[in-house]
Amino acid sequence: MGRIMSPIKRDEIDEILLRTLDDQRLSRSERQVLTALLAEQRDTPDLLAYFRHRAFEMARRQLPGSTPDKILTWLEEVNKALAQAQGPDEAPSLAEAHFSPGDRCRRRITALLDQTRDTADICVFTITDDQITRAILGAHQRGVRVRIISDDEKSLDRGSDVLELDRAGIPVFLDRSEAHMHHKFAIFDGAFLVTGSYNWTRSAATSNEENLIVSNNRGLIRDFSEEFEKLWEAFQ
């Protein structure tokens, strides 16, 4: 689903909905992008009401000859995106900076993993910190849909936990080139972004001068989500 700049025009709404309805499902990445897109329209409640109306109309038209459960699930996901986008305006923006050496970056990452309830998309160069690995495994074991993208060469380093996470049943994709997959970012529940120089390693916490930024900015989350999905498709 491509990026559409605000404001949405009414004649664009059907096009947006049809893209997500094409395979009778709203994927996680589509929902994240849709939520961010709709959030930009909070000041036009009549437009959001029209969006909801068109979603119900399309679902009604698609039901004959389709799988009802799939159409209703799509409609439910669209409405969840709409509800999330219309969340309370008084919710404070989040913009945090953490630095190492020291335990602040590690503790912030593990806290976010511990509070995640739905999805964790992790795109990091290397993972060797056992405390973070345990938090990832804990999220996976309580039903969080975790996905990991990492560097192929670093996954073979001594102390790397990437293959352990793969063996635990977490989907892991690695790049397959001489260049490095050097990102360090993660998106939790489509609501919180973590990024910065901080590698998810013991030395990053104990020795290195590193930084970690945590934000709930919807535009940033949308952009990083789109990058994650692009790499996820490329590395399959």
Side-chain angles (χ1 to χ4, degrees):
M1 180 176 173
R3 190 170 172 180
I4 299 176
M5 301 302 291
S6 61
I8 303 174
K9 298 176 182 176
R10 290 201 174 207
D11 58 3
E12 294 176 324
I13 288 177
D14 282 7
E15 178 186 350
I16 295 168
L17 290 168
L18 283 170
R19 283 186 218 165
T20 66
L21 188 55
D22 183 55
D23 57 357
Q24 298 186 6
R25 62 185 293 269
L26 186 68
S27 71
R28 174 168 46 186
S29 61
E30 287 175 333
R31 179 175 164 185
Q32 289 173 347
V33 174
L34 183 60
T35 298
L37 180 66
L38 292 173
E40 295 173 353
Q41 318 302 318
R42 286 184 184 178
D43 294 334
T44 53
D46 57 329
L47 188 66
L48 294 178
Y50 181 74
F51 189 95
R52 186 190 302 274
H53 166 73
R54 293 302 298 155
F56 274 92
E57 283 293 304
M58 285 190 178
R60 183 178 58 81
R61 289 202 308 265
Q62 287 282 334
L63 278 173
S66 300
T67 306
D69 287 348
K70 288 185 177 180
I71 300 299
L72 293 175
T73 298
W74 170 83
L75 183 60
E76 181 181 4
E77 292 298 313
V78 168
N79 275 280
K80 283 180 181 178
L82 188 58
Q84 188 174 352
Q86 292 176 299
D89 289 336
E90 65 270 15
S93 62
L94 179 68
E96 300 175 357
H98 303 276
F99 302 93
S100 68
D103 203 35
R104 287 184 61 193
C105 297
R106 172 200 282 154
R107 284 191 289 108
R108 195 65 180 102
I109 292 169
T110 56
L112 284 165
L113 282 162
D114 289 345
Q115 74 185 40
T116 297
R117 292 294 172 261
D118 186 20
T119 62
D121 289 335
I122 298 167
C123 183
V124 294
F125 181 48
T126 182
I127 304 173
T128 66
D129 190 318
D130 292 345
Q131 292 186 41
I132 294 178
T133 297
R134 284 195 293 271
I136 296 171
L137 289 170
H140 171 64
Q141 289 163 1
R142 66 175 184 270
V144 174
R145 291 171 290 170
V146 181
R147 297 188 293 175
I148 296 174
I149 296 172
S150 193
D151 185 74
D152 57 346
E153 291 184 25
K154 299 303 289 183
S155 71
L156 302 176
D157 281 359
R158 182 177 180 181
S160 173
D161 295 330
V162 170
L163 297 182
E164 175 188 349
L165 294 165
D166 181 60
R167 288 192 295 269
I170 297 172
V172 175
F173 285 151
L174 307 174
D175 71 316
R176 299 181 299 275
S177 73
E178 294 182 0
H180 286 304
M181 200 305 297
H182 208 243
H183 284 302
K184 297 104 178 175
F185 72 85
I187 304 156
F188 302 104
D189 285 335
F192 299 99
L193 168 70
V194 168
T195 189
S197 71
Y198 191 84
N199 272 312
W200 293 16
T201 64
R202 292 183 296 274
S203 60
T206 61
S207 306
N208 297 351
E209 304 288 345
E210 305 276 6
N211 69 80
L212 184 80
I213 294 171
V214 182
S215 175
N216 64 354
N217 181 275
R218 292 185 182 276
L220 288 175
I221 291 169
R222 177 188 58 210
D223 291 344
F224 275 88
S225 295
E226 289 179 351
E227 179 65 14
F228 186 95
E229 296 300 333
K230 183 185 78 173
L231 295 176
W232 190 255
E233 292 295 324
F235 295 160
Q236 288 189 40

